[in-house]
Amino acid sequence: MAATIRDIASACNVSLSTVSRALNEQAGVSEETRVLVQETAARLGYLPNVAAQRLRRRGSDLIGIFIKGPMNPFFQELLERFEHRLRAEGFVVSIVRIWHNEDEVAITQATLASTRYAGAIMLGGWFNVGAEGLAQVSVPTVFCTTYSVAGADLDKYSTVVIDDRQAMRDLVTHLRGLGHERIAYLGCDDDDLSVGSFRESAFQEALQASGVPLVQDLCAGERFEEDPYSFSYGYRFAQKLASHAPTAVVAVSDVVALGAVRGLTDLGLRVPEDVSVAGIDGILVTEFTVPRLTTVVQPAEELVSETWDLLRSLMSGGEHRHVIVPGVLSARESTGPVAS
């Protein structure tokens, strides 16, 4: 069996990205390490990837899109738009799907090291990469719809997101205008260090700014076996929250909100007569559910355009930036006046 770059990395006690740089004559590797890696590759009988060689000869036109939470309909919409946009400009798109319980750092490193990418897009709401993991990403990268890299300086990475603070202010203002005070946040567990925790903080800020005291039982995260951005997670969490008698629920995403609607309905509660429910994303199906879901619509085309423009800039040597675009509140049938 032919040796792989993993075998070389293990034999040299270096990372996959270091092996990739050394074999591809890229910067960022000492001469001593480069010689060690290349000699080890020859000794192990390593055969480089033919497709990767072809890309290196003519300059890479390969863009990797890494999706954390690939079943989310909103990410599927963004993916379709990215594919159309990038292919129209002559780029090849490689799609890597990462499930909620998988190690995105290891998967990303291994994928980027296996061939030469021109750039990468991290698409999804729960990329817990961290500063150390970020340092191992060897190509220009933009995080789309995810906020922060824990421990990393802002000038070390780029993001494109909606204004979640304003989104939460809009949702809370809408519900307060309908007379609601016992408003619950249906979010993610404590492992989510990105969008879930940011939206929870934004929700709490908006609630307190509206003059409503924070009730901890109505905004405590939960840990279930399910993917924390799934329909089933929303279903189970809403059924547990129901015992605390909220009159309204704001969910971290539309998918979670729709799961919550079903969970509340199965308990005999009516939406919105007994409990109002709202989400964030604006996925297409929310226009056809019964009731139609109140949501903050993320501008998909603008997110894609800003992300691609930023990635092209980074690929040309530009500086890291953080772009925030506005969402739009769409008040529909799933929210109504508080029950008297």
Side-chain angles (χ1 to χ4, degrees), residues 56-246:
R56 283 194 291 273
R57 284 197 297 269
R58 61 187 174 89
S60 177
D61 56 5
L62 182 62
I63 303 295
I65 301 180
F66 298 79
I67 311 175
K68 186 72 178 283
M71 297 303 292
N72 189 319
F74 180 63
F75 299 151
Q76 291 299 319
E77 178 184 354
L78 290 181
L79 176 60
E80 181 178 344
R81 292 174 183 268
F82 274 123
E83 286 186 287
H84 284 305
R85 181 72 177 271
L86 272 59
R87 286 172 179 167
E89 297 190 23
F91 285 84
V92 178
V93 179
S94 170
I95 301 167
V96 179
R97 292 172 171 83
I98 304 174
W99 303 98
H100 81 280
N101 57 353
E102 290 185 318
D103 185 341
E104 60 264 45
V105 176
I107 292 172
T108 302
Q109 288 176 355
T111 303
L112 293 177
S114 65
T115 189
R116 186 177 180 186
Y117 283 78
I121 296 168
M122 302 297 188
L123 176 60
W126 195 15
F127 271 99
N128 294 337
V129 174
E132 184 177 347
L134 179 67
Q136 300 299 317
V137 178
S138 57
V139 302
T141 301
V142 177
F143 291 83
C144 178
T145 71
T146 191
Y147 266 91
S148 60
V149 176
D153 295 332
L154 289 175
D155 61 354
K156 300 298 184 183
Y157 64 101
S158 296
T159 59
V160 178
V161 295
I162 69 160
D163 189 342
D164 276 321
R165 279 198 172 90
Q166 186 60 53
M168 284 299 174
R169 284 195 292 266
D170 290 345
L171 286 171
V172 169
T173 298
H174 169 65
L175 292 169
R176 292 287 289 117
L178 294 171
H180 295 279
E181 293 188 358
R182 291 188 61 79
I183 307 172
Y185 176 75
L186 204 165
C188 298
D189 62 40
D190 295 337
D191 289 339
D192 184 355
L193 304 178
S194 185
V195 170
S197 60
F198 190 91
R199 287 181 179 171
E200 181 176 3
S201 296
F203 167 79
Q204 293 178 3
E205 291 174 7
L207 197 64
Q208 292 175 319
S210 74
V212 175
L214 190 65
V215 179
Q216 193 61 39
D217 288 340
L218 296 180
C219 61
E222 284 292 337
R223 185 186 300 274
F224 299 114
E225 293 179 358
E226 291 85 357
D227 177 348
Y229 283 91
S230 66
F231 294 105
S232 55
Y233 182 90
Y235 181 96
R236 291 188 62 183
F237 198 171
Q239 290 208 324
K240 184 170 184 177
L241 270 178
S243 64
H244 299 293

Side-chain angles (χ1 to χ4, degrees), residues 263-270 274:
L264 294 169
T265 301
D266 284 355
L267 289 176
L269 296 169
R270 299 167 300 165
D274 298 317

